[in-house]
């Protein structure tokens, strides 16, 4: 009878243990978005002010690569640009002078025409006076002679204007071609200057994200080539735990689903964080040896990421647990 009671008690204890809700659904390790900052330009590192463990803000300038030669090249290009601008002003001045010369000839032509008109009116008046015998014939002859002189001047000025226009047309075409050439050279110089500006900007070393410097690979004074890693930075404020679940668990997990995340500090010490599922793998993989799943017999699992807002205590690589809500 005593044996029956003991067995019954053991069965109740096993039943109670079997009905107890499990403490977590998946386990994994904490990760963060890591960025390796590389040199965008070749040259000597003049300054690099980051240290491992240092917090830096997004866009903060933390160093510089030697840019003396690039700046000298830019000065040379700017001097050439100034000379081209001076050449263009000189060509424009020549074109304006030609236009002014043409305008002066047109004014002379108008003045001669006005003089001829005035002389013709005088001739008409003197013709009447000569007919009446009021003035001698010689005065009318003088006016006729003056009109002939003015007409010759008019014809000569017209010829001069025609010749000048033909010459100016050729000169204008030449000046226009030269100005087009100057404009083309100027456009090429502007492109080179923008290129140099971009290269100079690339000598500045800046943090691409807000985060913590994990590793530093070079020091001030070292020569680097473009593409050489300088330091690694990680966003340790917005971290996530990469956990693995079975296909049976996967059907109950959705993007945006809330979860409890526990950072394991060892010796039974852990810290709880509010989490949210931010990513679910669409491809299965074999169970990693370091991962324990709810179903030990499952060979294939799916990775999920649960994002948390870190308070500075959770570290990259730290072991953790996830309880989906």
């Amino acid at each position: 009878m005593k044996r029956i009671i003991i067995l019954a008690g053991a069965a109740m204890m096993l039943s109670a243990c079997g009905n107890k809700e499990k403490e977590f659904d998946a386990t994994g390790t904490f990760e963060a978005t890591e960025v390796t900052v590389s040199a965008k330009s070749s040259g000597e590192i003049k300054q690099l002010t980051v240290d491992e463990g240092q917090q830096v803000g997004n866009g903060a300038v933390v160093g510089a690569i030697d840019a003396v030669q690039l700046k000298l090249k830019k000065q040379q290009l700017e001097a050439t640009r100034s000379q081209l601008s001076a050449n263009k002003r000189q060509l424009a001045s020549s074109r304006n002078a030609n236009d002014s010369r043409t305008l002066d000839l047109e004014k002379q032509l108008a003045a001669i025409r006005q003089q001829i008109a005035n002389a013709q009116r005088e001739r008409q008046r003197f013709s009447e006076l000569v007919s009446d015998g009021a003035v001698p014939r010689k005065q009318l002859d003088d006016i006729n002679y003056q009109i002939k002189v003015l007409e010759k001047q008019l014809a000569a000025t017209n010829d001069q204007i025609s010749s000048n226009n033909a010459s100016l047309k050729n000169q204008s075409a030449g000046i226009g071609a030269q100005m087009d050439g100057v404009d083309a050279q100027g456009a090429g110089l502007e492109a080179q200057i923008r290129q140099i500006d971009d290269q100079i900007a690339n000598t500045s070393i800046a943090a691409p994200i807000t985060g913590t410097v994990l590793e530093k690979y070079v020091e001030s004074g070292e020569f680097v080539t473009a593409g050489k890693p300088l330091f690694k930075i990680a966003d340790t404020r917005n971290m996530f735990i990469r956990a693995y679940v079975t296909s049976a668990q996967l059907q109950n997990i959705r993007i945006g689903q809330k979860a409890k995340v526990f950072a394991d500090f060892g010796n039974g010490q852990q810290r709880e964080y509010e989490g949210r599922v931010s990513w679910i793998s669409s491809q299965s993989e074999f169970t990693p040896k370091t991962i324990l799943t709810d179903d030990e017999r499952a060979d294939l699992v799916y990775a999920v990421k649960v994002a948390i807002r870190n308070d500075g205590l959770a570290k990259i690589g730290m072991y953790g647990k996830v309880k989906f809500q």
Side-chain angles (χ1 to χ4, degrees):
M1 183 68 177
K2 184 177 180 181
R3 182 180 179 184
I4 293 175
I5 294 174
I6 293 174
L7 291 174
M12 291 176 64
M13 292 178 62
L14 289 173
S15 177
C17 292
N19 293 331
K20 183 180 179 181
E21 184 180 1
K22 57 182 180 294
E23 296 180 356
F24 58 90
D25 297 315
T27 62
T29 55
F30 285 94
E31 299 178 4
T33 300
E34 300 179 5
V35 179
T36 298
V37 180
S38 299
K40 296 181 180 179
S41 178
S42 298
E44 179 186 350
I45 295 181
K46 306 302 291 184
Q47 183 183 17
L48 188 60
T49 59
V50 296
D51 292 308
E52 294 177 354
Q54 180 180 341
Q55 293 283 334
V56 294
N58 183 14
V61 177
V62 296
I65 298 173
D66 183 26
V68 172
Q69 294 302 318
L70 292 173
K71 292 178 179 179
L72 291 175
K73 178 66 175 178
K74 181 179 179 180
Q75 291 178 5
Q76 182 181 5
L77 292 173
E78 289 177 337
T80 304
R81 180 175 62 183
S82 298
Q83 183 60 49
L84 285 177
S85 297
N87 293 343
K88 187 173 181 179
R89 288 194 298 270
Q90 185 176 3
L91 291 171
S93 177
S94 297
R95 174 179 284 178
N96 292 335
N98 290 337
D99 292 341
S100 177
R101 181 183 175 188
T102 300
L103 182 62
D104 289 342
L105 290 174
E106 293 288 350
K107 290 180 178 179
Q108 291 179 29
L109 191 65
I112 293 172
R113 285 173 176 165
Q114 183 62 45
Q115 291 177 31
I116 291 175
N118 293 337
Q120 288 175 341
R121 285 194 296 271
E122 284 294 307
R123 182 175 62 182
Q124 179 63 32
R125 186 170 66 85
F126 272 87
S127 295
E128 296 175 355
L129 293 174
V130 169
S131 299
D132 295 338
V135 295
R137 178 77 185 180
K138 184 178 183 304
Q139 292 187 10
L140 181 60
D141 293 339
D142 290 341
I143 293 174
N144 286 329
Y145 177 76
Q146 183 182 4
I147 290 174
K148 289 180 180 179
V149 171
L150 289 173
E151 288 175 342
K152 289 181 179 179
Q153 289 181 2
L154 181 66
T157 303
N158 272 322
D159 292 341
Q160 187 178 1
I161 289 176
S162 298
S163 176
N164 183 69
N165 287 341
S167 176
L168 291 181
K169 184 177 181 181
N170 293 331
Q171 291 181 25
S172 179
I175 291 174
Q178 293 180 60
M179 293 183 73
D180 290 342
V182 170
D183 288 338
Q185 293 180 54
L189 277 175
E190 290 298 336
Q192 293 182 57
I193 290 174
R194 288 195 299 269
Q195 185 179 30
I196 290 293
D197 285 337
D198 182 66
Q199 293 175 359
I200 292 175
N202 286 338
T203 62
S204 178
I205 303 172
I209 61 173
T210 297
T212 304
V213 177
L214 301 181
E215 296 180 77
K216 183 179 179 182
Y217 305 119
V218 296
E219 297 291 342
S220 298
E222 293 187 38
F223 185 90
V224 297
T225 56
K228 180 178 177 60
L230 304 178
F231 62 92
K232 181 187 290 185
I233 185 173
D235 181 5
T236 54
R237 293 296 304 275
N238 300 290
M239 296 182 64
F240 56 89
I241 182 171
R242 181 190 292 268
Y244 292 85
V245 298
T246 64
S247 56
Q249 293 175 295
L250 188 63
Q251 63 182 340
N252 297 319
I253 300 174
R254 299 289 183 272
I255 296 292
Q257 181 177 345
K258 293 183 179 180
K260 295 289 186 180
V261 177
F262 303 91
D264 193 335
F265 296 93
N267 297 325
Q269 300 294 319
Q270 63 182 19
R271 188 173 184 84
E272 180 180 332
Y273 297 92
E274 293 292 333
R276 188 177 296 274
V277 178
S278 60
W279 173 80
I280 300 175
S281 175
S282 57
Q283 184 176 4
S284 64
E285 53 188 289
F286 286 102
T287 308
K289 293 181 179 180
T290 57
I291 300 299
L292 299 176
T293 64
D294 187 54
D295 187 357
E296 294 292 344
R297 296 172 299 174
D299 292 328
L300 295 177
V301 292
Y302 294 83
V304 298
K305 290 182 181 179
V306 181
I308 67 165
R309 182 70 172 174
N310 188 20
D311 56 2
L313 297 179
K315 304 297 182 183
I316 297 174
M318 182 178 288
Y319 178 76
K321 304 172 185 178
V322 179
K323 177 67 175 177
F324 297 103
Q325 296 182 354

